Amino acid sequence: MTEALFYTKLSENRTNCLLCPHNCIVDEGKRGVCGVRINRGGILYSEVYGRPVSLNTDPIEKKPLYHFYPGHQVLSLGTLGCTLKCSFCQNAEISQASGEDQGFGVKKSLQEIIVLALEKQKNIGLAYTYNEPVVFYEYMTYLAAEVHRNGMKNIMVSNGFINPEPLAKLIPLIDAFNIDLKSFEDNFYKKHSKSRLAPVLETIRTLSGSGKHLELTFLVIPGMNDSIDIFDKMTDWILEETGRKTPLHISRYFPHYKMNLPPTPIKTLEGFYHHAKEKLDFVYLGNIPESIGMDTYCPACKSLLLKRNGYYTMREGLDESGSCTTCHEKVINYMTI
Ligand code: SF4
């Protein structure tokens, strides 16, 4: 355990956590909504500091990031806990699990993780992913500083539910973000994730303005967030706030956790793909085998640039600097590390 950042002490040994927009008042001996920040004797602690439960080397395309060092690997790490309570969570075994049920994971010091990251082939750095990295903010930020000191990159895959001050302190440490946009309706966030839409939009707006690499993911759940009209509003907003070059991953839902609806029909995903492509240059379909929306094309001359087979990426009409070999349009800003 380590003392938490971003909290204040209240009377009677209570604490007020200010890390995410839940702003939990945590009584002595209790935990916040995320389940991994506990008040002991009037001090708030992170129980998942140095305690990863998942640690794997993944293709960067699995995060998903398609425009950030394509074809590379990234050591990926997650702990227990999440700030959201999504009934459809695709990673509930860890995100919704309590440390009291299964322990908080194996102890891994900052140095042990850095040594692992350095010895992996084609590894560009460290990704904070699997569960919501905001809940292990202290571990993530101390690790991220070490990763930078060793000349590697940091990636954060997040639901975007974080307060502005901790976000501002995090941005200089992270090189690329993938943020989930679960719906464009506040009611959806309230009902199915026990949270709110506005802070997530604010995070995306801030990240876009920061100049850091940003990709977005939208998980389509049949009957819950598959209204094409609302999706059109979402893509209008993306176009206006983050620009047409922001890669959007439209992902297929599979039944998990408390949700047993059937998987999203491929036709629905393809319909969303065509709608989004009218406004955005880079739209991809995820969690499906073969379909449209796998490869990257030049938005200027339409040449094939990157061909993907699962998580395997082949460079076609793209040069080493990330420009189209046909028309020289700059498409990928981050190529060889
Ligand atoms: S990080 Fe956890 S304890 Fe802190 S406000 Fe968010 S849910 Fe509550």
Side-chain angles (χ1 to χ4, degrees):
M1 287 205 302
T2 200
E3 186 172 357
L5 299 169
F6 302 104
Y7 81 98
T8 55
K9 296 181 180 183
L10 306 174
S11 59
E12 296 166 2
N13 271 358
R14 289 177 311 150
T15 56
N16 182 191
C17 181
L18 303 169
L19 181 55
C20 90
H22 287 309
N23 294 319
C24 298
I25 304 289
V26 188
D27 289 343
E28 191 170 358
K30 303 283 186 206
R31 295 185 170 94
V33 170
C34 57
V36 293
R37 296 172 93 75
I38 192 165
N39 176 340
R40 290 225 187 274
I43 296 173
L44 194 67
Y45 291 97
S46 163
E47 292 180 289
V48 287
Y49 183 89
R51 296 277 193 169
V53 290
S54 300
L55 186 60
N56 305 294
T57 304
D58 289 334
I60 199 156
E61 285 77 9
K62 199 173 175 183
K63 299 304 102 191
L65 286 177
Y66 278 14
H67 289 222
F68 193 75
Y69 300 103
H72 285 75
Q73 304 281 312
V74 65
L75 183 63
S76 303
L77 168 156
T79 68
L80 296 185
C82 188
T83 49
L84 268 50
K85 302 284 155 207
C86 303
S87 49
F88 50 88
C89 182
Q90 309 279 295
N91 256 341
E93 310 75 39
I94 59 169
S95 74
Q96 305 302 321
S98 141
E100 281 176 354
D101 296 339
Q102 53 167 270
F104 283 102
V106 183
K107 271 190 188 168
K108 287 271 180 209
S109 69
L110 301 187
Q111 211 42 47
E112 283 175 289
I113 300 287
I114 298 299
V115 167
L116 268 180
L118 284 169
E119 71 188 19
K120 302 271 179 195
Q121 292 256 317
K122 275 199 120 182
N123 179 44
I124 65 158
L126 204 47
Y128 312 98
T129 178
Y130 302 134
N131 69 325
E132 172 49 51
V134 167
V135 306
F136 60 93
Y137 187 97
E138 296 78 12
Y139 192 35
M140 171 170 58
T141 50
Y142 300 152
L143 271 170
E146 283 302 314
V147 164
H148 274 179
R149 261 194 283 279
N150 283 277
M152 296 182 287
K153 308 290 180 197
N154 289 300
I155 291 166
M156 183 186 188
V157 181
S158 172
N159 60 34
F161 199 68
I162 180 171
N163 277 332
E165 192 191 343
L167 178 64
K169 295 221 158 80
L170 184 63
I171 287 172
L173 294 167
I174 305 290
D175 303 286
F177 293 84
N178 185 306
I179 304 292
D180 258 350
L181 193 45
K182 296 174 191 294
S183 165
F184 207 58
E185 286 192 305
D186 191 46
N187 261 346
F188 179 96
Y189 270 87
K190 280 190 183 133
K191 190 169 167 195
H192 300 294
S193 296
K194 306 284 179 268
S195 60
R196 286 172 287 129
L197 170 64
V200 178
L201 297 183
E202 198 47 48
T203 294
I204 293 172
R205 205 180 273 124
T206 302
L207 292 179
S208 174
S210 75
K212 292 300 174 102
H213 182 75
L214 173 65
E215 302 192 20
L216 301 174
T217 297
F218 172 51
L219 179 78
V220 186
I221 309 167
M224 286 175 61
N225 63 358
D226 60 352
S227 152
I228 201 78
D229 292 341
I230 294 166
F231 180 68
D232 277 339
K233 285 185 189 146
M234 180 194 284
T235 49
D236 283 342
W237 184 88
I238 293 171
L239 178 64
E240 195 175 316
E241 296 290 343
T242 72
R244 61 180 307 120
K245 294 202 177 299
T246 311
L248 173 64
H249 300 265
I250 301 171
S251 190
R252 189 184 196 196
Y253 145 93
F254 285 91
H256 270 291
Y257 194 37
K258 297 178 180 171
M259 197 66 73
N260 55 11
L261 294 166
T264 322
I266 304 281
K267 282 227 162 317
T268 305
L269 296 163
E270 292 178 346
F272 276 54
Y273 170 86
H274 289 301
H275 269 254
K277 276 295 278 179
E278 286 171 17
K279 297 167 209 164
L280 306 175
D281 285 343
F282 305 110
V283 181
Y284 300 106
L285 296 186
N287 274 354
I288 55 174
E290 274 292 290
S291 178
I292 52 174
M294 302 283 139
D295 304 328
T296 301
Y297 291 89
C298 176
C301 73
K302 313 299 176 207
S303 299
L304 175 64
L305 304 180
L306 292 169
K307 176 128 195 83
R308 296 188 183 83
N309 187 350
Y311 295 127
Y312 183 66
T313 303
M314 286 151 286
R315 194 148 54 86
E316 300 278 338
L318 198 68
D319 68 18
E320 291 208 339
S321 74
S323 299
C324 172
T325 53
T326 306
C327 73
H328 308 296
E329 172 90 353
K330 180 82 170 169
V331 179
I332 308 275
N333 288 324
Y334 307 90
M335 286 293 290
T336 43
I337 191 161

Short mmCIF file of all heavy atoms in Angstrom, two decimals, residues 17-20 22-24 26 32-34 37 83 134, ligand 1:
data_model
loop_
_atom_site.label_atom_id
_atom_site.label_comp_id
_atom_site.label_asym_id
_atom_site.label_seq_id
_atom_site.Cartn_x
_atom_site.Cartn_y
_atom_site.Cartn_z
N CYS A 17 -11.64 11.64 -1.45
CA CYS A 17 -10.77 11.34 -2.59
C CYS A 17 -11.16 12.25 -3.76
O CYS A 17 -12.33 12.38 -4.10
CB CYS A 17 -10.91 9.87 -3.00
SG CYS A 17 -9.84 9.46 -4.39
N LEU A 18 -10.16 12.86 -4.38
CA LEU A 18 -10.41 13.83 -5.46
C LEU A 18 -9.82 13.36 -6.79
O LEU A 18 -9.60 14.15 -7.69
CB LEU A 18 -9.81 15.19 -5.07
CG LEU A 18 -10.35 15.75 -3.76
CD1 LEU A 18 -9.52 16.95 -3.30
CD2 LEU A 18 -11.81 16.14 -3.88
N LEU A 19 -9.58 12.06 -6.88
CA LEU A 19 -8.94 11.54 -8.09
C LEU A 19 -9.91 11.46 -9.27
O LEU A 19 -9.58 11.84 -10.39
CB LEU A 19 -8.33 10.16 -7.78
CG LEU A 19 -7.60 9.45 -8.90
CD1 LEU A 19 -6.49 10.31 -9.51
CD2 LEU A 19 -7.01 8.14 -8.38
N CYS A 20 -11.10 10.94 -9.04
CA CYS A 20 -12.06 10.84 -10.15
C CYS A 20 -13.34 11.56 -9.78
O CYS A 20 -13.55 11.91 -8.62
CB CYS A 20 -12.30 9.38 -10.52
SG CYS A 20 -13.63 8.56 -9.65
N HIS A 22 -16.20 10.82 -9.00
CA HIS A 22 -17.05 10.33 -7.91
C HIS A 22 -16.77 11.13 -6.63
O HIS A 22 -17.65 11.25 -5.77
CB HIS A 22 -16.79 8.85 -7.61
CG HIS A 22 -17.35 7.91 -8.65
ND1 HIS A 22 -18.64 7.97 -9.09
CD2 HIS A 22 -16.77 6.90 -9.33
CE1 HIS A 22 -18.85 7.02 -9.99
NE2 HIS A 22 -17.74 6.36 -10.17
N ASN A 23 -15.54 11.63 -6.49
CA ASN A 23 -15.15 12.42 -5.30
C ASN A 23 -15.63 11.76 -4.00
O ASN A 23 -16.29 12.39 -3.17
CB ASN A 23 -15.71 13.85 -5.40
CG ASN A 23 -15.07 14.61 -6.55
OD1 ASN A 23 -13.87 14.52 -6.77
ND2 ASN A 23 -15.88 15.35 -7.30
N CYS A 24 -15.31 10.49 -3.84
CA CYS A 24 -15.85 9.70 -2.71
C CYS A 24 -15.45 10.28 -1.35
O CYS A 24 -14.28 10.66 -1.14
CB CYS A 24 -15.30 8.28 -2.75
SG CYS A 24 -15.74 7.35 -4.19
N VAL A 26 -14.70 8.90 2.01
CA VAL A 26 -14.37 7.53 2.47
C VAL A 26 -14.18 7.54 3.99
O VAL A 26 -13.26 8.17 4.51
CB VAL A 26 -13.08 7.02 1.77
CG1 VAL A 26 -12.87 5.53 2.10
CG2 VAL A 26 -13.15 7.23 0.26
N GLY A 32 -13.42 3.42 -1.37
CA GLY A 32 -14.21 4.20 -2.32
C GLY A 32 -14.89 3.30 -3.33
O GLY A 32 -14.75 2.07 -3.29
N VAL A 33 -15.62 3.93 -4.26
CA VAL A 33 -16.39 3.19 -5.27
C VAL A 33 -15.49 2.22 -6.06
O VAL A 33 -15.91 1.12 -6.41
CB VAL A 33 -17.08 4.18 -6.24
CG1 VAL A 33 -17.68 3.48 -7.44
CG2 VAL A 33 -18.16 4.98 -5.51
N CYS A 34 -14.25 2.61 -6.31
CA CYS A 34 -13.34 1.78 -7.12
C CYS A 34 -12.92 0.50 -6.41
O CYS A 34 -12.39 -0.42 -7.05
CB CYS A 34 -12.10 2.58 -7.51
SG CYS A 34 -11.21 3.25 -6.10
N ARG A 37 -9.14 1.84 -2.97
CA ARG A 37 -8.57 2.95 -2.21
C ARG A 37 -9.26 2.93 -0.86
O ARG A 37 -10.50 3.04 -0.79
CB ARG A 37 -8.77 4.29 -2.95
CG ARG A 37 -8.01 4.30 -4.27
CD ARG A 37 -8.31 5.50 -5.12
NE ARG A 37 -7.40 6.61 -4.92
CZ ARG A 37 -6.15 6.64 -5.40
NH1 ARG A 37 -5.67 5.63 -6.09
NH2 ARG A 37 -5.39 7.69 -5.20
N THR A 83 -13.23 2.59 -11.68
CA THR A 83 -14.06 3.70 -11.22
C THR A 83 -15.50 3.56 -11.72
O THR A 83 -16.39 4.24 -11.22
CB THR A 83 -13.48 5.02 -11.74
OG1 THR A 83 -13.22 4.88 -13.14
CG2 THR A 83 -12.20 5.38 -11.02
N VAL A 134 -6.72 4.71 -13.86
CA VAL A 134 -6.88 5.81 -12.89
C VAL A 134 -6.82 5.26 -11.46
O VAL A 134 -6.29 5.91 -10.57
CB VAL A 134 -8.19 6.59 -13.15
CG1 VAL A 134 -8.52 7.51 -11.97
CG2 VAL A 134 -8.07 7.40 -14.44
S1 SF4 B 1 -10.60 6.97 -7.39
FE1 SF4 B 1 -11.87 5.54 -6.22
S2 SF4 B 1 -12.00 6.39 -4.15
FE2 SF4 B 1 -11.23 8.01 -5.49
S3 SF4 B 1 -13.07 9.20 -6.06
FE3 SF4 B 1 -12.72 7.67 -7.68
S4 SF4 B 1 -13.93 5.87 -7.09
FE4 SF4 B 1 -13.77 7.20 -5.27
#
